[in-house]
Amino acid sequence: HSVMADGRKPFGRREVPTLALLHFVEKLNAFAALTDTARQAAVTLADRHHRTCHRGEDLISEGDKPRNVQLIIDGWACRYKILEDGRRQILAIFIPGDLCDLNVYILDRMDHSISAISPLTYVTIEQQEMEQFCDGNPQLARALWWESLVSASIQREWLVNAAQRTPMEAIAHLVCELYFRLRVVKLARKGEPIFFPLTQTDIADTLGLTQPHISRLLQMLNKHAKVAWRPRQLIVHDEDSLRHLAGFNPDYLHFRR
């Protein structure tokens, strides 16, 4: 059997534990307080046969016809585009509980690709099934629309990273955002190691910088904000300093307080 990036075996086709499904529920509940009925609907939506793939493998590629929505259960993925000369730009990062584009099946063909950043477990939800769940569960539909709007909000913040923030501010802001999102879905605790599978190349392709530049920035981040970065692992020792360095305001993530 294959092994996840943090050493765990991927779930079997009928072995997705309730805890993994709850990442999705926790995220939606952070957008809108879900009733017990809406929570159960979200679990039912996510609890289905799943697929696994290895790091670097595409879930769907540019030019493909999208027929369903991917929901990340375990592991990380990214949205990206490749230029003709092979350069890659990462456009979004998906963690457990994230949907890879809620309404992507409306398109005739993909204008980007989605790839696994780590060994990945995900489920696919067909268009008709997604629409039926939303029609029958208005509160769940509201939370899903909120999720879609927040994805657009994150894209706007990434544009500010690229256009206005210094490289040090941009990398600190990216780490803050991911750390905050992981805490919301109960995958990060203050001062404890978290699974963080981004390589220096991944971060470089996200921020539009070179890998040597990222290496120097990570050293500075550890010095000024006590952020310890290791292969597949991150520890934030001083969250306040990290947020100050990034000028991070989580309001754009629109999670309920």
Side-chain angles (χ1 to χ4, degrees):
H1 295 285
S2 60
V3 176
M4 301 299 286
D6 58 357
R8 294 171 293 125
K9 292 183 178 180
F11 308 126
R13 286 186 64 82
R14 296 183 179 273
E15 299 171 356
V16 179
T18 301
L19 181 61
L21 299 178
L22 287 181
H23 299 321
F24 179 51
V25 179
E26 289 291 348
K27 178 182 178 181
L28 295 183
N29 192 57
F31 295 143
L34 300 181
T35 62
D36 289 343
T37 300
R39 280 177 171 267
Q40 185 55 51
V43 169
T44 302
L45 186 63
D47 189 9
R48 62 193 58 240
H49 289 315
H50 72 275
R51 304 177 183 184
T52 61
C53 61
H54 302 288
R55 172 180 167 83
E57 184 179 346
D58 280 354
L59 284 68
I60 189 167
S61 301
E62 185 171 354
D64 289 350
K65 167 65 178 176
R67 301 184 184 278
N68 45 49
V69 179
Q70 286 88 24
L71 169 63
I72 305 302
I73 296 296
D74 198 47
W76 290 29
C78 70
R79 178 189 295 123
Y80 75 94
K81 287 186 74 73
I82 294 286
L83 301 183
E84 290 184 1
D85 62 3
R87 285 175 293 166
R88 179 182 66 158
Q89 178 65 50
I90 291 180
L91 304 167
I93 294 171
F94 303 110
I95 63 172
D98 283 349
L99 292 163
C100 304
D101 297 317
L102 178 59
N103 297 303
V104 69
Y105 48 73
I106 294 173
L107 301 176
D108 290 331
R109 62 183 60 85
M110 294 291 290
D111 57 30
H112 60 271
S113 302
I114 297 174
S115 176
I117 291 177
S118 71
L120 192 71
T121 301
Y122 67 101
V123 299
T124 59
I125 306 168
E126 295 182 358
Q127 172 185 354
Q128 183 178 6
E129 197 165 13
M130 177 68 78
E131 292 174 348
Q132 287 175 347
F133 265 90
C134 290
D135 289 343
N137 299 275
Q139 191 187 40
L140 178 59
R142 175 182 171 83
L144 288 170
W145 276 111
W146 197 313
E147 195 267 354
S148 184
L149 291 170
V150 169
S151 294
S153 179
I154 290 173
Q155 290 289 290
R156 291 191 290 273
E157 203 67 28
W158 280 31
L159 181 59
V160 176
N161 268 352
Q164 295 297 332
R165 291 190 176 102
T166 67
M168 188 72 250
E169 291 169 339
I171 193 171
H173 199 279
L174 177 66
V175 171
C176 268
E177 177 191 295
L178 292 169
Y179 180 65
F180 195 91
R181 288 166 57 191
L182 287 165
R183 284 180 60 178
V184 165
V185 296
K186 313 300 184 187
L187 286 171
R189 292 188 177 90
K190 192 173 182 178
E192 295 185 6
I194 60 175
F195 177 56
F196 197 85
L198 295 182
T199 65
Q200 291 185 14
T201 299
D202 292 331
I203 299 173
D205 289 350
T206 300
L207 298 178
L209 301 170
T210 65
Q211 185 273 326
H213 196 173
I214 293 299
S215 180
R216 292 192 296 271
L217 289 172
L218 288 170
Q219 293 176 26
M220 294 172 62
L221 203 60
N222 188 25
K223 177 180 178 181
H224 295 293
K226 303 294 190 296
V227 175
W229 184 87
R230 305 187 185 103
R232 298 185 297 280
Q233 190 179 88
L234 187 80
I235 306 174
V236 178
H237 292 291
D238 190 342
E239 183 181 342
D240 291 339
S241 293
L242 178 63
R243 291 178 63 162
H244 178 74
L245 185 63
F248 182 77
N249 181 341
D251 286 354
Y252 73 97
L253 295 172
H254 299 285
F255 293 124
R256 292 186 302 117
R257 300 292 184 177

